Amino acid sequence: MSANLAGQNIIVTGGSRGIGKAIVKKLASQGARLAFSYASRVDAAEALLKELPGEGHFHFSLNLAEAEKVDSIMQETIKKLGGLNGLVNNAGITKDQILLRMKEEDFDSVIQTNLKGTYLCSKAVLKTMMKARGGSIVNLSSVIAHTGNSGQANYAASKAGIEAFTRSLANEMASRNVRANSVAPGFIATEMTDSLGDEVKEKILASIPLGRIAEAEEVASVVSFLLSNEASYITGQTIHVNGGLRM
């Protein structure tokens, strides 16, 4: 999947590690100018910044739990970029526990960061995109939004909400040529999956028709495509990147 993002200004939330890091690297390699956020690890953001090809990239601190600060931070970031063509809402957290033992604050914090954070960041960029008569918003969901998962009622609810939110946003913004789509990864190779025991890994692999766990770069390729003009007639969709785990 190829995309040309030369000359595009793009914001990626949660871009300093994991899937977000792969997305940032992919978009930069395709010519985009990136502003990516981090929540706490400024050292990781600095290290990533040094790896990126091209010029003008920068990182910024963003805590989606501080809702009152999100709009002003996003406006400052857009101004520093000199405009905005794309937004990737990738930042998210998990606080897993079976529902009987799940604390209310753990449910609320996952909804706040994952779902409300997507709302806050998307709303903050809409006037800029509407004025430009174009833009693309890509929201990171999860296969868990469709399958559910024991111990992840809060996470599943947040991701399912993101997909419904994305469809509504796409409907509202289509007349202004602003597109909105979701990407729903399955199992992705990360530090967390690397630490799983062999028995758990074998069980996971047995459930995936393609027989392997995805690389983060494979998710990044789909995100870059949706941001590009190659996807100019795609909006309101959820693209699954799960190796056939859910068909």
Side-chain angles (χ1 to χ4, degrees):
M1 189 175 291
S2 176
N4 180 3
L5 300 175
Q8 291 204 23
N9 297 323
I10 299 173
I11 294 174
V12 180
T13 67
S16 63
R17 59 189 180 89
I19 292 174
K21 179 179 178 179
I23 291 170
V24 167
K25 292 173 72 173
K26 183 72 172 181
L27 302 185
S29 74
Q30 294 175 332
R33 184 184 180 206
L34 276 300
F36 62 95
S37 78
Y38 65 92
S40 58
R41 290 278 311 276
V42 66
D43 57 329
E46 285 287 352
L48 175 57
L49 198 60
K50 294 175 183 177
E51 294 181 39
L52 300 181
E55 298 179 350
H57 312 299
F58 62 94
H59 57 65
F60 62 100
S61 176
L62 180 66
N63 183 351
L64 293 175
E66 298 176 339
E68 69 282 358
K69 297 181 180 179
V70 173
D71 185 72
S72 61
I73 291 172
M74 293 294 283
Q75 298 311 320
E76 290 171 11
T77 303
I78 292 170
K79 184 177 180 179
K80 188 173 179 179
L81 276 172
L84 188 68
N85 304 100
L87 167 67
V88 181
N89 284 306
N90 170 74
I93 62 171
T94 59
K95 292 195 175 181
D96 298 350
Q97 182 59 270
I98 61 170
L99 195 59
L100 279 171
R101 298 176 182 171
M102 185 179 291
K103 296 178 181 177
E104 185 175 352
E105 56 263 36
D106 289 344
F107 185 90
D108 288 346
S109 64
V110 170
I111 296 295
Q112 168 71 39
T113 298
N114 298 2
L115 180 55
K116 190 173 181 180
T118 296
Y119 150 77
L120 290 168
C121 292
S122 297
K123 185 178 181 182
V125 307
L126 286 183
K127 287 184 179 179
T128 298
M129 289 185 173
M130 290 170 68
K131 187 176 180 180
R133 303 291 295 188
S136 177
I137 297 173
V138 180
N139 299 321
L140 269 292
S141 179
S142 169
V143 68
I144 301 303
H146 298 264
T147 63
N149 195 34
S150 178
Q152 290 193 306
N154 49 2
Y155 184 75
S158 72
K159 294 300 186 178
I162 283 171
E163 292 188 15
F165 169 85
T166 301
R167 290 189 291 271
S168 295
L169 177 60
N171 210 352
E172 291 178 11
M173 292 294 107
S175 64
R176 300 301 182 95
N177 197 36
V178 176
R179 298 180 295 107
N181 293 285
S182 301
V183 175
F187 288 102
I188 309 298
T190 62
E191 292 178 6
M192 183 180 72
T193 54
D194 288 343
S195 67
L196 296 174
D198 291 340
E199 186 177 338
V200 175
K201 286 183 180 179
E202 288 176 10
K203 186 176 181 180
I204 290 172
L205 290 174
S207 69
I208 303 172
L210 283 181
R212 64 179 179 84
I213 292 175
E215 298 295 329
E217 290 75 15
E218 293 175 294
V219 178
S221 292
V222 177
V223 172
S224 68
F225 167 70
L226 290 173
L227 289 167
S228 76
N229 289 330
E230 298 295 320
S232 59
Y233 202 58
I234 300 175
T235 195
Q237 305 303 309
T238 297
I239 309 299
H240 294 269
V241 187
N242 60 36
L245 179 61
R246 181 190 181 278
M247 297 187 185

